[in-house]
Amino acid sequence: MAHYNDKAKIRDHYDRVSPYYRSLWGEHLHHGYWRDGRESKEEAQIQLIQHLAQVAGIVPGSRILDVGCGFGASSIFLARKYKAEATGITISPVQVEMAIESAAAAEVNARFLLMDAEAMKFDQLFDVIWSVESISHYEDIGKFFASAAKLLKPGGTLAITDWFKKENLNSGDYKKYIQPVEKGMLVELQTMEDYKAVLCSNSLQLAKAEILNEHCARTWDLCLDIIKSKSFWQLAAKNGRDFVDFLRAFKAMRAGFASGTFIYGLLVAQKL
């Protein structure tokens, strides 16, 4: 059975469109977090990772693994602000190159590797494993959480934000609100309770869970404005139906937020 979050399709997608993402969306490839609604998109994106870092209790000098690192912006931010030793991984060779260039320009202690999050291998343990909007792309989240638990130091912290679906969603609402997101964004959404169960089964104790919809929904108002640009649809014409589905999913994301069927959540856990 084909999956929306097919690994080869995801790698190809990000290899092809990452340079366009950065030019139109910026260095941070994730939602913004608005406190009063007057922040710029860039300020809101920084506020999201600041909020996650604060909730996670990151301390100076931490060794951090940024899983699904995108262009490397979180790793660079954490390396600069916390004097952290940051390592970012992604399955996109294009993103690795972009992240290495950005870290060199920022002159921070951050390295980037081509690695599958479901098959992570390191000779060292980490104080923090960090993942922003990446896990819902994975075909087997159980493998990821098991690997993350093994790579954390005792007492280490797993800090994530991700996309979720509402619990006990009926089939009609799933097809109307969630399936178009999964198809276009190359994800398969679980519930926050699903993640909590997997955390617990891997000796990770939940410390904090938050639903951030109220602070993050504005992201998709801005996204819908951005994709009015003809350049995006010209790009879609070049890259085929999958990219058209991706752009159509922007409207589905906004509808998911508005209906409450889509959940943007934060989870922080500690290794027992």
Side-chain angles (χ1 to χ4, degrees), residues 98-265:
M98 293 169 70
I100 289 172
E101 290 175 4
S102 295
E107 299 181 338
V108 295
N109 186 10
R111 63 173 181 150
F112 298 94
L113 306 171
L114 189 66
M115 187 180 293
D116 186 339
E118 295 168 64
M120 298 186 293
K121 292 183 181 177
F122 289 94
D123 295 328
Q124 61 189 32
L125 299 179
F126 296 90
D127 300 297
V128 179
I129 294 182
W130 170 284
S131 181
V132 172
E133 301 181 35
S134 179
I135 299 171
S136 53
H137 279 310
Y138 306 163
E139 294 175 1
D140 189 337
I141 65 168
K143 277 188 180 179
F144 164 71
F145 282 116
S147 295
K150 290 176 183 176
L151 289 172
L152 277 173
K153 294 178 181 177
T157 299
L158 176 65
I160 69 175
T161 67
D162 206 12
W163 302 1
F164 301 94
K165 61 185 177 183
K166 181 182 177 182
E167 286 185 75
N168 302 317
L169 206 59
N170 65 54
S171 60
D173 282 345
Y174 168 76
K175 289 178 181 178
K176 181 177 180 180
Y177 294 108
I178 299 301
Q179 194 170 32
V181 171
E182 292 183 331
K183 182 180 180 182
M185 297 293 183
L186 306 179
V187 295
E188 289 192 2
L189 302 186
Q190 310 289 325
T191 69
M192 289 184 75
E193 291 303 316
D194 292 331
Y195 276 36
K196 291 176 187 178
V198 181
L199 289 171
C200 291
S201 68
N202 285 284
S203 299
L204 295 164
Q205 184 174 44
L206 185 67
K208 184 72 173 180
E210 288 184 43
I211 294 175
L212 305 180
N213 286 38
E214 179 183 349
H215 296 284
C216 299
R218 179 168 164 71
T219 299
W220 295 97
D221 295 332
L222 299 177
C223 284
L224 287 173
D225 284 339
I226 287 172
I227 66 166
K228 290 177 183 176
S229 166
K230 288 183 179 179
S231 62
F232 250 130
W233 293 96
Q234 288 168 350
L235 182 64
K238 292 179 183 177
N239 286 283
R241 180 166 181 167
D242 287 344
F243 197 79
V244 173
D245 288 338
F246 166 69
L247 293 183
R248 286 176 175 163
F250 281 42
K251 186 177 288 187
M253 288 289 288
R254 190 66 188 87
F257 268 102
S259 65
T261 55
F262 177 92
I263 304 294
Y264 189 78

Side-chain angles (χ1 to χ4, degrees), residues 68-114:
C69 64
F71 316 139
S74 282
S75 294
I76 292 167
F77 174 88
L78 296 167
R80 181 186 290 123
K81 182 173 178 63
Y82 295 98
K83 306 300 182 201
E85 178 187 322
T87 300
I89 65 170
T90 171
I91 61 170
S92 165
V94 172
Q95 288 189 340
V96 170
E97 291 179 11
M98 293 169 70
I100 289 172
E101 290 175 4
S102 295
E107 299 181 338
V108 295
N109 186 10
R111 63 173 181 150
F112 298 94
L113 306 171
L114 189 66

